[in-house]
């Protein structure tokens, strides 16, 4: 490989996309190429490097040891080339690409509406595919290249993942107003005496609310556990249930006269809602633009 004149350098752009996506179809969409063209390029790359580069295991493409060695060097080389040729190689108005985002329905409710409007206005060729998973699953998806960006709460991130803050979130409680005659909030005794709704992807999940309660020497009774933030407030009306969730999730119910929002009777530390991506996507101009767009939406919320 000493003679660069004999190498089609466009193949390296394809290799970079394949190593980032670990998926031929997604790499093709990212490059605005056909799937057969990307498959053909991969075959040429395997000959060029005398290595399989991407190996199919369990229905997924896994990078070979040689590919993992190449990846950071290739990414840096392409980043330098983009600097040489200037920033004009990316225009959101002309970009045609699909991004896969992982987020809960909380993230979908808070970030997605404004983000979608922004994309339709400034980048109508960029499509979004949204999926919902547990925190652990979202981290795996980012690591494996199955999604471009994950939005959520991630207390511990593995190496190779980077995070950017979006919202510093606090907790609030929601209850049926008629179940609290003459009261604007519940004290600790009343709070613990009521049944509660828990939003979690699985039963027995360790949430920030219950961690704070245990630290204070208390435990609440969970009457209903469900995986969706959006449906949880609808269970409150006409019942004695209490919902304790992220404050921004309750914004749509602030004007509902049948419900009341109040501060928890104990301290629950605020938590950062962040966006997470693989370090290999860090220099991708389109990915940078998307991350900036998500950050801009979060800032516009003013919360």
């Amino acid at each position: 490989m000493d003679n660069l004149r004999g190498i089609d350098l466009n193949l390296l752009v394809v290799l970079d996309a394949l190593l980032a996506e670990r998926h031929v179809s997604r790499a093709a969409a990212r490059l605005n190429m056909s799937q057969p063209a990307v498959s053909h390029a991969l075959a040429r790359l395997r000959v060029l490097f005398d290595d399989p580069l991407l190996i199919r295991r369990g229905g997924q493409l896994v990078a070979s040891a040689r590919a993992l060695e190449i990846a950071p060097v290739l990414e840096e080389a392409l980043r330098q080339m983009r600097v040489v040729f200037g920033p004009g190689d990316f225009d959101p108005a002309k970009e045609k690409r699909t991004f896969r985002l992982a987020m809960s329905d909380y993230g979908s409710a808070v970030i997605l509406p404004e983000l979608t409007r922004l994309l339709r206005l400034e980048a109508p060729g960029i499509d979004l595919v949204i999926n919902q998973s547990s925190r652990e699953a979202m981290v795996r998806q980012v690591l494996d290249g199955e999604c471009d960006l994950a939005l959520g709460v991630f207390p511990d991130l593995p190496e190779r993942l980077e995070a950017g803050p979006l919202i510093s979130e606090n907790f609030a409680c929601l209850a049926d107003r008629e179940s609290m005659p003459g009261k604007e909030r519940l004290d600790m005794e009343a709070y613990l005496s009521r049944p509660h709704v828990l939003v979690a992807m699985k039963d027995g999940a360790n949430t920030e609310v219950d961690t704070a309660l245990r630290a204070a020497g208390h435990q609440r009774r969970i009457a209903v556990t469900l995986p969706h933030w959006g449906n949880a407030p609808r269970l409150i009306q006409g019942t004695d249930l209490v919902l304790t969730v992220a404050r921004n999730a309750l914004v749509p119910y602030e004007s509902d006269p049948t419900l009341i929002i109040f501060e928890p009777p104990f301290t629950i530390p605020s938590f950062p809602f962040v966006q997470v991506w693989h370090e290999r996507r860090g220099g991708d101009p389109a990915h940078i633009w998307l991350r900036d767009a998500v950050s801009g939406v979060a800032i516009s919320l003013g919360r």
Side-chain angles (χ1 to χ4, degrees):
M1 293 183 61
D2 292 333
N3 186 4
L4 288 176
R5 289 178 297 177
I7 299 173
D8 181 356
L9 297 181
N10 287 319
L11 288 175
L12 301 182
V13 177
V14 176
L15 178 57
D16 181 63
L18 282 167
L19 292 176
E21 299 291 348
R22 310 288 173 90
H23 195 284
V24 173
S25 296
R26 291 202 293 265
R30 173 171 174 167
L31 297 167
N32 196 24
M33 294 172 61
S34 68
Q35 182 174 335
V38 172
S39 296
H40 179 66
L42 177 57
R44 293 175 61 192
L45 284 160
R46 284 168 169 161
V47 173
L48 183 64
F49 286 95
D50 190 24
D51 188 271
L53 298 175
L54 291 167
I55 306 160
R56 187 164 295 281
R57 289 179 185 163
Q60 295 183 330
L61 290 177
V62 179
S64 69
R66 177 70 171 133
L68 293 174
E69 177 185 320
I70 292 169
V73 179
L74 176 60
E75 182 181 25
E76 178 60 20
L78 291 177
R79 188 189 70 79
Q80 294 288 353
M81 291 299 293
R82 292 185 182 105
V83 171
V84 169
F85 288 104
D89 61 343
F90 174 72
D91 182 350
K94 298 178 180 178
E95 184 78 2
K96 294 187 182 301
R97 183 163 169 182
T98 298
F99 282 108
R100 286 164 173 77
L101 278 60
M103 64 182 77
S104 67
D105 56 344
Y106 163 78
S108 297
V110 174
I111 298 292
L112 194 55
E114 189 59 36
L115 178 63
T116 301
R117 284 188 282 271
L118 177 65
L119 289 176
R120 300 311 306 155
L121 180 65
E122 298 187 11
I126 292 180
D127 300 327
L128 298 179
V129 176
I130 311 298
N131 72 74
Q132 180 182 352
S133 305
S134 66
R135 294 178 187 177
E136 297 79 10
M138 285 194 281
V139 168
R140 286 196 303 272
Q141 288 168 0
V142 176
L143 282 171
D144 294 341
E146 295 178 7
C147 76
D148 299 281
L149 203 58
L151 278 61
V153 180
F154 305 99
D156 300 300
L157 286 175
E159 293 182 5
R160 295 174 291 150
L161 296 191
E162 300 181 5
L166 295 176
I167 301 170
S168 180
E169 183 63 280
N170 297 299
F171 284 91
C173 300
L174 184 71
D176 181 83
R177 188 175 290 276
E178 289 190 0
S179 73
M180 296 173 54
K183 296 181 180 179
E184 293 299 316
R185 59 180 300 171
L186 297 175
D187 59 22
M188 180 62 92
E189 182 180 359
Y191 180 90
L192 293 174
S193 71
R194 303 275 289 258
H196 293 258
V197 175
L198 171 65
V199 180
M201 293 297 294
K202 57 184 179 180
D203 187 23
N206 185 27
T207 70
E208 290 82 359
V209 175
D210 293 292
T211 298
L213 274 174
R214 282 194 297 272
H218 302 294
Q219 182 176 353
R220 59 179 178 163
R221 178 200 162 203
I222 304 298
V224 180
T225 301
L226 76 165
H228 305 296
W229 296 71
N231 286 330
R234 300 173 188 173
L235 306 183
I236 303 304
Q237 190 173 30
T239 74
D240 59 347
L241 293 165
V242 177
L243 174 66
T244 307
V245 291
R247 182 65 178 79
N248 280 311
L250 300 180
V251 169
Y253 302 92
E254 289 177 340
S255 59
D256 190 328
T258 67
L259 299 172
I260 184 169
I261 299 171
F262 56 95
E263 296 296 317
F266 57 101
T267 300
I268 310 174
S270 60
F271 62 92
F273 184 78
V274 303
Q275 56 179 334
V276 174
W277 63 95
H278 198 288
E279 62 182 12
R280 293 203 63 256
R281 309 271 173 113
D284 179 345
H287 202 285
I288 292 171
W289 185 88
L290 177 65
R291 298 197 307 263
D292 289 344
V294 172
S295 296
V297 169
I299 291 172
S300 72
L301 295 174
R303 301 172 188 150

